[in-house]
Amino acid sequence: MSNVIQHWRDGKVFAGTSTATAPVTNPATGAVSGEVALASVDDARAVIDAAVAAYPAWRDTSLAKRTSVLFAFRELLNARKEELAALITAEHGKVLSDALGEVSRGLEVVEFACGIPSLLKGGFTENASTNVDVHSVLQPLGPVGIISPFNFPAMVPMWFFPIAIAAGNTVVLKPSEKDPSSSLWMARLWAEAGLPDGVFNVLQGDKTAVDELLTNPKIKAISFVGSTPIAQYVYATATAAGKRVQALGGAKNHAVILPDADLDLAADAMVNAGFGSAGERCMAISAAVAVGPIADELVAKIAERAATIKTGDGTKDSDMGPLVTKVHRDKVASYIDAGEADGAKVVVDGRTVIANGGADGFWLGPTLLDNVTPEMSVYTDEIFGPVLSVLRVESYDEALELINNNPYGNGTAIFTNDGGAARRFQNEVEVGMVGINVPIPVPMAYFSFGGWKASLFGDSHAHGTEGVHFFTRTKAITTRWLDPSHGGINLGFPENK
């Protein structure tokens, strides 16, 4: 099993005892590029135990030493990010420029974590009561689990583990079995940066590994990103086991284009946000809501741009890569079939794409559907592919109602030159992340990422100050140092004086 992508435990590769594996494919060729280990319960517990054993020493390591390791990791990652991007392209399929952008956005959170000392400061009140001082401290939780999706194998884990580690926790990362190599690459980089053994661990596997993380009492918190049904399961299972949980779920992101918008800007944005990374983004725009008389012109401009997108191998001259697996490709194509059968007009058809890549690659080109209505499955479901639906409405109020009635609330955008309309939209829309003339409103690392409604389970968003709060807990300490003049016995109820 030497060619199998294995776990990482105690600063080195860990083979475990399970012989079960799953294939890892190159989406641009359809060829199996390797096998990934699927952990047994015993394997999962062995990896978790490494995080448990490393926790006391890491918790007690000074903040100065912890952040020095973070700085070293940041420098190594910045210097070698092209290596990581190439791994992502080989297993996920996204083009190299997109993979490099993913790593760069993850790097922002590493940089944010380097400055965590100012956010880990407690508070202090002198003489809160006579000769009594009160102060608070933020302490780590313990070993924590991170369960990340296939679409961002580097960025999403980096939303969580830099902050968790900087705060003094130890980590078990469970990556997607579809693209597992990035996790081991980052584990080796942590070791090179000087992180003590056992602080960062990687558990490869499927539902067996996930369920052990969710239920094992030694894991104190779970961070998860994935589809809403699985997020609901993760949240229910882990909270029932007494864990702190942040579970980021799915999305159906709308962009409202008002009649006064710059339609060239809006069309560019719809193509970029709808088809980037083959639509496999939780922040992808999948529903363009055209308000009033602009719909025909907007559809024509989007179609013109979509037709120029080159689909192919991410290592070649391509704008958009394949989908991650053949099963997923076929599922996305079935939604196009269903939309067409339901009466939507297929303006640009990605099912017939001729791609610059292997004949057996998982290809599906940019697809534009017009005259989509809210009851169609192409609108109601999160497709997670390069399918952009255009819905036509008559007014701003109708567009707002459409968005607010949707069960998801991850991201949204409005395109307009009317500041009053934009301000009203940002106030009234029931969505966690809002863009104004910005199609993918992913906040910077020092803000927090997360949606509303069925797009988030738990109270904490990712990274930013909410991320710091998630990976720490506050302890309040009341102190009195007696001086020689202190009084004697007093059985009365203690009062603040």
Side-chain angles (χ1 to χ4, degrees):
M1 292 181 61
S2 59
N3 61 335
V4 174
I5 302 164
Q6 298 284 6
H7 320 286
W8 185 269
R9 175 181 183 267
D10 275 337
K12 56 184 177 295
V13 171
F14 171 63
T17 58
S18 172
T19 58
T21 62
V24 178
T25 56
N26 181 335
T29 65
V32 175
S33 58
E35 299 283 329
V36 61
L38 300 179
S40 65
V41 171
D42 287 342
D43 295 339
R45 290 176 179 172
V47 174
I48 291 170
D49 285 346
V52 172
Y55 172 64
W58 184 243
R59 173 197 62 202
D60 293 337
T61 298
S62 73
L63 188 53
K65 290 182 179 178
R66 294 204 303 261
T67 52
S68 71
V69 175
L70 264 291
F71 273 105
F73 181 80
R74 185 264 176 202
E75 292 303 303
L76 290 169
L77 179 60
N78 190 48
R80 292 164 51 185
K81 56 190 175 185
E82 287 83 4
E83 294 177 31
L84 183 54
L87 273 180
I88 294 168
T89 295
E91 292 184 347
H92 175 273
K94 65 180 66 176
V95 298
L96 277 170
S97 59
D98 194 22
L100 190 59
E102 169 185 346
V103 177
S104 296
R105 290 307 301 262
L107 186 60
E108 291 176 7
V109 183
V110 178
E111 293 169 346
F112 170 76
C114 289
I116 205 170
S118 64
L119 295 174
L120 291 180
K121 293 188 302 181
F124 186 91
T125 298
E126 183 182 29
N127 218 34
S129 185
T130 303
N131 295 328
V132 174
D133 303 329
V134 180
H135 72 280
S136 63
V137 295
L138 276 69
Q139 296 185 330
L141 303 176
V144 300
I146 298 169
I147 303 168
S148 67
F150 73 83
N151 59 324
F152 288 103
M155 183 186 75
V156 167
M158 281 193 276
W159 281 354
F160 305 111
F161 67 65
I163 297 172
I165 289 173
N169 303 281
T170 55
V171 168
V172 177
L173 168 63
K174 211 302 285 185
S176 169
E177 57 270 34
K178 294 180 178 67
D179 42 15
S181 294
S182 298
S183 59
L184 283 186
W185 188 94
M186 290 186 290
R188 291 186 174 94
L189 205 70
W190 273 120
E192 190 174 340
L195 190 70
D197 294 348
V199 176
F200 182 81
N201 307 276
V202 177
L203 176 63
Q204 309 284 8
D206 52 15
K207 189 175 184 295
T208 298
V210 169
D211 285 346
E212 185 59 31
L213 283 174
L214 299 184
T215 58
N216 192 304
K218 297 175 183 177
I219 295 293
K220 304 305 179 184
I222 293 290
S223 297
F224 170 86
V225 177
S227 69
T228 287
I230 301 177
Q232 290 173 312
Y233 172 79
V234 166
Y235 182 75
T237 305
T239 53
K243 303 184 192 306
R244 184 179 290 187
V245 182
Q246 51 181 176
L248 283 66
K252 194 69 182 183
N253 302 321
H254 303 71
V256 176
I257 299 93
L258 294 185
D260 70 313
D262 182 325
L263 293 188
D264 288 312
L265 171 67
D268 288 342
M270 293 307 95
V271 170
N272 295 337
F275 306 133
S277 194
E280 294 173 326
R281 293 172 174 161
C282 68
M283 290 297 285
I285 293 294
S286 56
V289 185
V291 179
I294 61 165
D296 287 342
E297 184 179 358
L298 177 66
V299 169
K301 287 180 178 292
I302 296 173
E304 179 184 7
R305 289 158 171 78
T308 67
I309 294 176
K310 294 176 287 186
T311 303
D313 187 330
T315 64
K316 300 176 181 177
D317 182 22
S318 303
D319 302 309
M320 191 185 89
L323 274 73
V324 70
T325 65
K326 183 179 186 303
V327 170
H328 186 55
R329 182 266 171 214
D330 292 346
K331 181 180 178 181
V332 174
S334 73
Y335 276 106
I336 304 171
D337 298 339
E340 187 173 30
D342 288 341
K345 179 182 179 182
V346 182
V347 181
V348 179
D349 193 344
R351 295 169 296 185
T352 59
V353 70
I354 299 174
N356 180 19
D360 295 323
F362 311 136
W363 306 113
L364 188 70
T367 298
L368 177 64
L369 300 178
D370 192 12
N371 298 117
V372 173
T373 55
E375 70 277 1
M376 295 180 183
S377 63
V378 73
Y379 172 75
T380 59
D381 296 356
E382 182 184 27
I383 297 175
F384 223 61
V387 180
L388 177 65
S389 298
V390 177
L391 294 91
R392 298 173 178 234
V393 299
E394 294 301 319
S395 66
Y396 165 88
D397 289 331
E398 188 179 348
L400 181 70
E401 182 181 13
L402 182 72
I403 299 171
N404 287 349
N405 285 341
N406 195 277
Y408 296 109
N410 207 45
T412 189
I414 188 168
F415 287 81
T416 180
N417 287 315
D418 185 335
R423 193 173 190 278
R424 180 181 171 190
F425 182 75
Q426 72 183 38
N427 179 55
E428 296 177 338
V429 73
E430 296 172 6
V431 174
M433 293 172 283
V434 181
I436 298 173
N437 297 320
V438 175
I440 305 179
V442 177
M444 298 295 290
Y446 42 84
F447 286 90
S448 296
F449 178 101
W452 289 8
K453 299 188 286 190
S455 294
L456 177 72
F457 301 88
D459 296 326
S460 295
H461 292 179
H463 58 71
T465 54
E466 289 192 47
V468 175
H469 293 159
F470 180 80
F471 286 114
T472 59
R473 53 186 174 180
T474 302
K475 181 180 290 181
I477 302 163
T478 303
T479 305
R480 179 173 64 181
W481 294 108
L482 303 182
D483 61 44
S485 65
H486 76 275
I489 295 173
N490 182 347
L491 300 185
F493 191 84
E495 301 178 57
N496 291 329
K497 297 180 181 179

